[in-house]
Amino acid sequence: EYIELHGAPQNQEQVEALLLHSEQQSDLLLQLRLKQASGDQTLDAEADILWYTTADNYGVLMIDAMESEQDDHLADIHTVAALMPQVIDALADTQGLVIDLRFNGGGSDGVSQVIARHFLDSERSLYQKRTGFGTTAIHDTIRLTPAEKTYLNPVVVLTSSDTTSAAEIFVL
C-alpha cells in the first residue's frame, strides 16, 4: 500500500518512513484483532502468543509464530511447554475457542506439536513426514499423546495464505 502511494524507497529517509508505516499498520491490525476482547488480554511476547476471552465467553488464542527471535528451537519448545498450561487454565471455562494462525509463518514443528498436545483427547498418529530425497530420505510418523491439561470444547482454527510451515503442521 505504501509503495503504491509513494513508490519504492530511494533513500534512507524513505526507508525509515516505510518502516514506520509498516509498524503503524501492524499496530492497527493488532488493535482490530483485539477488538472482541472483553477484559484482559495476556501476551507472551517471547512465544508470540496472545489469548483472551470475548464478552460471549469464547476464547481466542492468537499464535503468530511457532518460534521466537532467539532461533533456538529447543528453548522455544520449553517456553511454549511452560506457557500452554496457563493458556488452557485461562480459557478452560469458555464455550469454544478460536485459534488464529492467519499471520503465522511457521517455525519449529516441535512447538506446533507441543501446542497440539493440549487439544487431544487420546494418543494419535497425526501425520507422516519425509525429509531428504531418494535412498537418504527419512520417513517419520508423528504420534502425540495428550498433555496433562487439555482443551476439549469446540475449536475453530483460522488460517490464511500466510499460514505456512510449522503452522500448517499444527493444523493437521
Side-chain angles (χ1 to χ4, degrees):
E1 171 187 303
Y2 179 90
I3 292 175
E4 288 176 7
L5 290 173
H6 303 285
Q10 301 296 316
N11 56 47
Q12 186 62 32
E13 182 179 325
Q14 291 173 344
V15 168
E16 290 174 13
L18 173 61
L19 293 174
L20 177 62
H21 176 78
S22 178
E23 185 177 318
Q24 291 169 339
Q25 293 301 306
S26 292
D27 289 345
L28 179 59
L29 180 60
L30 180 60
Q31 289 173 18
L32 290 172
R33 291 172 74 195
L34 293 175
K35 192 173 183 179
Q36 297 300 313
S38 66
D40 293 337
Q41 304 96 35
T42 306
L43 170 65
D44 188 289
E46 185 177 349
D48 235 349
I49 296 175
L50 179 123
W51 63 95
Y52 62 86
T53 303
T54 65
D56 50 356
N57 196 36
Y58 285 94
V60 176
L61 174 57
M62 297 174 5
I63 307 171
D64 287 345
M66 298 297 185
E67 65 184 351
S68 67
E69 293 180 10
Q70 299 172 11
D71 198 28
D72 182 344
H73 294 301
L74 190 55
D76 294 341
I77 289 169
H78 288 296
T79 297
V80 171
L83 181 64
M84 283 306 296
Q86 296 173 44
V87 173
I88 299 304
D89 282 344
L91 302 174
D93 295 328
T94 59
Q95 61 181 340
L97 179 64
V98 175
I99 301 175
D100 187 349
L101 301 176
R102 291 176 294 170
F103 305 99
N104 190 318
S108 166
D109 287 358
V111 169
S112 296
Q113 294 166 12
V114 166
I115 296 169
R117 292 184 63 227
H118 291 274
F119 300 96
L120 296 177
D121 61 354
S122 62
E123 182 176 352
R124 297 179 191 226
S125 178
L126 295 182
Y127 62 93
Q128 293 184 339
K129 184 171 183 173
R130 183 182 85 180
T131 54
F133 297 99
T135 59
T136 62
I138 298 170
H139 297 269
D140 287 322
T141 298
I142 306 303
R143 293 190 62 78
L144 295 180
T145 58
E148 188 174 314
K149 292 187 180 214
T150 58
Y151 186 92
L152 301 177
N153 293 343
V155 174
V156 172
V157 180
L158 304 178
T159 65
S160 72
S161 60
D162 291 332
T163 307
T164 60
S165 188
E168 294 171 300
I169 293 296
F170 173 80
V171 174
L172 294 173

